[in-house]
Structures are given as C-alpha cells and as structure tokens.
Amino acid sequence: FFFLAVILLESVYPATPKCHPEDLKALLAFKAGMSHLEHWHGTDCCNWDAIRCNNQTGRVVSVAFEGIGGPDSRFNYDRMKGTISENSLGKLAFLEQLYMNTVPLVTGGIPTSVGNIPTLKELVLDKTGLSGPIPASLGKLSKLVLLSFTGNKLSGSIPHELSSLQHLQSLTFRESSLTGSISSLDFGKLRSLTDLDLSYNAFTGSFPASLFGSVKLKTLSVSHNQLTGHIPASIGKLTRLEVLDLSSNKLSGGLPSELFHLKKLAGLDLSGNMLSGELPKAARKFPASALMSLSLDSNNLSGAVPSELSRLKKLTGLDLSSNMLPGELPGAARKFLASSSANNPGLCGSPLPPC
C-alpha cells in the first residue's frame, strides 16, 4: 500500500526535473571564468540564484544578473568579475532571456556563440565592461524581440546582419561608443520595431531612407551623435511616433512642416543642432495634437514665434532659447518666458520690453 501511494503521488505531483547535463556544463564553464559565484554549488543549476528552468524539461530558459539585485535575486552581482567564454552561455540551447545589468567588472567581448541560441527572445547587456564589436552572429536570433546594449565600451558600427531581426520590437544601443553610419541597418526589414534608441554614440552621416519605413515606431532617439544633413519630410510617415529626440547633432536646414502633423507626438526635442529658417513656415499649420514638450533651443532659427502655439492645449514645456527669434512673443509662449526669451534679444512684448 505504501509503495502504491508513492506511485500515485508521483503521478499527481511529478518531481521537478533537475538541471540538464548540457546546461550544467555550460554554466560551470561560465562560473569558471567569473569570481563571486561561490554560491553556485551542487549539480541542480535550476536551484541556483539568477537561473530559471522550464518546469517540464529542466532546460535553462533564463539567466539574469542584476548588479543592484533583481526582484528574484538574493545577491548583487556588481562585484562579479571575469570574461564570458565562447563555450558557456552561448551553449544554453533553450535560453530565452539573458540579462546582465550593472555588472561593470564583466569584461572582454560579446561571445559570437550567443548568436547560436535559436530560442533567445531578450538579450540585455547594460552597464557592463564589455568591449569590442557587436557580433554579426546576433542577426541569426530570429525570435529576438528585445535587444539592449547600454553603457558599454563597444566599438565599430552596427552590423548589417541585424536587419534580419524581423520580430525585434525594441532596439537600444545607448551610450556604447559605437561609430559609423546608422544606414548600416535596413530599417525597412525591422517590421516590428516600436522603440529605437541610438543616443550618446558617435554615429555619423544622414538619416537613411529606410528608417522612415519603420511605420510602427513610437519612440525614436538618436540624440548626442554627429548626424548631418536635413530632417527629411518623409519623417511624416511615422504617424505612430510619440517621442522624437534628435538633439545635439549637426543637423541643418529648415523644419519640415510634416513634423507638426504627427498627432500622437508628445515630446519633440531638436535642440543643439544647426537648424535654420523661419518658425512660421514650419509651424503655421499646427494641428490640435498631443504635443506636451517642444525643445528647439540652441539652433539658428529665425522669424516670429507663431501664434499657432496657442493650439497646443497640452503643451507644458517650451524652450526656444538661443536662436535668432525677433518680434512679439505670443501669449501662449509667455508662461515659458524664461526659456523662450533667453538669448533671443529681438523678442519683445509684455512682460518683455515693448515692441
């Protein structure tokens, strides 16, 4: 009777599978190249901190190192030190998530073997000491939806192979020392992309035409780079755009009126460029929109500030400083007097000096 009861219990509550031998081998290879992983002990890696396994198969599906301690972590990994070998994490054949956040002492290159994980959906390597180029092999991650490299010491340009990531929704290469032209990516093939952040790098060149084929984009930031050329009128095709930040580049020319017809746009920052021309020509047809923040400061804009600003009922932030704007400041802009008038000595009208 006792043995029958055990069999019945096992059929109702099957034992949780232990770590698969191949995954154990890969994680032990990773541990061998790292310090401060002494708490990884035993042979059941599914019970190790930062590791999550599939309950049915015992295969490792998530590896998540948080330098500040994640919600499911008992440890901080900001002291973890070493390099990631080719025969370690890249050998986790069923991995879906790989997170390394705020682990500055993890150095060396990104293993090319990571690109051989067919199941990987989320790859986040933020605030690490990783350096070298982005492996072209990452273009084989056909199921990837999230790719983030922020605050690293990478080099080189974005590999063209990443254009193959048709399911990618969020791409962030922020503050990672990347160079070259962003036109190395064929954005027209990234059909699922909604969020793109390439800010704080050293990208050069102009906007690729393919970028404006990413019609699902909601946020676009390429601020603090060295982009040149004009803002093309085709930016008006991004009708779902909610945040656009092109600040601190070397953009020139006028403001396309199409910018001010993006009805979902809530934040627009074009400050710190070399934009010129008259504001009324760009903004005369302000539609009733969602715009809450508008920053055009530190350019070469001229012409009177358009009275049509009064149509922007949701506007809570306006900065037109350090331009060459003359004439009377319209009533809608007077509540932002300090930022609107600074270094625009030609502006006038109450409470400024009379015109």
Side-chain angles (χ1 to χ4, degrees):
F1 177 79
F2 173 77
F3 290 109
L4 179 61
V6 170
I7 293 172
L8 288 173
L9 284 172
E10 288 181 347
S11 65
V12 176
Y13 302 102
T16 302
K18 292 186 177 181
C19 178
H20 192 279
E22 290 298 318
D23 292 349
L24 177 62
K25 180 180 178 181
L27 290 174
L28 289 175
F30 175 78
K31 179 183 177 181
M34 292 287 164
S35 65
H36 299 285
L37 282 178
E38 294 82 4
H39 56 281
W40 278 13
H41 54 80
T43 58
D44 189 2
C45 68
C46 296
N47 288 323
W48 293 355
D49 188 75
I51 304 298
R52 183 166 57 85
C53 295
N54 182 288
N55 290 334
Q56 282 72 46
T57 65
R59 302 307 299 251
V60 173
V61 294
S62 176
V63 176
F65 298 106
E66 295 278 356
I68 54 177
D72 300 320
S73 177
R74 293 166 291 168
F75 300 89
N76 290 341
Y77 290 96
D78 56 325
R79 294 190 302 151
M80 187 171 69
K81 182 178 181 181
T83 59
I84 310 171
S85 64
E86 286 287 344
N87 64 341
S88 60
L89 300 182
K91 299 294 184 179
L92 297 171
F94 291 84
L95 193 66
E96 297 178 7
Q97 299 173 323
L98 174 56
Y99 281 82
M100 285 192 175
N101 185 12
T102 316
V103 284
L105 301 180
V106 175
T107 58
I110 301 171
T112 58
S113 58
V114 172
N116 297 326
I117 307 174
T119 52
L120 200 60
K121 296 179 181 179
E122 300 178 6
L123 176 57
V124 177
L125 304 176
D126 290 349
K127 299 180 183 178
T128 74
L130 293 172
S131 58
I134 298 172
S137 62
L138 299 187
K140 296 187 294 182
L141 300 174
S142 60
K143 293 187 177 182
L144 206 64
V145 297
L146 169 62
L147 179 59
S148 178
F149 298 159
T150 297
N152 298 298
K153 302 175 182 178
L154 304 177
S155 60
S157 59
I158 303 173
H160 175 73
E161 287 79 1
L162 298 191
S163 305
S164 301
L165 303 177
Q166 295 187 15
H167 296 289
L168 194 65
Q169 297 176 18
S170 178
L171 174 61
T172 301
F173 289 157
R174 181 182 176 91
E175 199 175 354
S176 284
S177 304
L178 296 172
T179 58
S181 172
I182 62 174
S183 61
S184 59
L185 270 181
D186 187 348
F187 291 96
K189 293 182 178 180
L190 301 176
R191 297 167 185 166
S192 302
L193 197 63
T194 59
D195 300 283
L196 176 64
D197 188 348
L198 305 177
S199 56
Y200 290 90
N201 285 287
F203 291 119
T204 56
S206 58
F207 289 103
S210 66
L211 179 61
F212 306 108
S214 301
V215 294
K216 291 184 178 181
L217 273 179
K218 293 183 179 180
T219 63
L220 171 58
S221 177
V222 287
S223 69
H224 293 84
N225 281 285
Q226 300 175 29
L227 299 183
T228 56
H230 295 184
I231 301 174
S234 52
I235 200 166
K237 295 179 181 179
L238 304 180
T239 56
R240 300 185 187 184
L241 210 57
E242 298 174 3
V243 176
L244 177 62
D245 188 352
L246 309 180
S247 62
S248 298
N249 280 284
K250 298 179 180 179
L251 301 174
S252 58
L255 300 179
S257 59
E258 287 80 2
L259 272 175
F260 301 96
H261 290 269
L262 297 173
K263 294 185 178 181
K264 294 186 178 182
L265 194 65
L268 175 59
D269 191 346
L270 305 177
S271 62
N273 283 286
M274 298 182 289
L275 300 170
S276 58
E278 296 185 0
L279 272 172
K281 292 181 180 180
R284 187 173 295 151
K285 296 181 181 180
F286 271 121
S289 74
L291 200 62
M292 300 174 63
S293 175
L294 175 60
S295 298
L296 301 174
D297 58 286
S298 304
N299 281 287
N300 298 314
L301 298 171
S302 58
V305 179
S307 60
E308 284 79 4
L309 280 173
S310 60
R311 296 183 185 178
L312 300 176
K313 302 298 184 181
K314 296 183 179 180
L315 194 67
T316 57
L318 173 67
D319 194 341
L320 305 175
S321 62
S322 299
N323 281 286
M324 297 182 291
L325 304 175
E328 186 173 4
L329 193 67
R334 289 176 185 173
K335 62 180 178 179
F336 309 108
L337 177 64
S339 60
S340 296
S341 60
N343 296 319
N344 281 303
L347 285 178
C348 59
S350 178
L352 297 174
C355 297

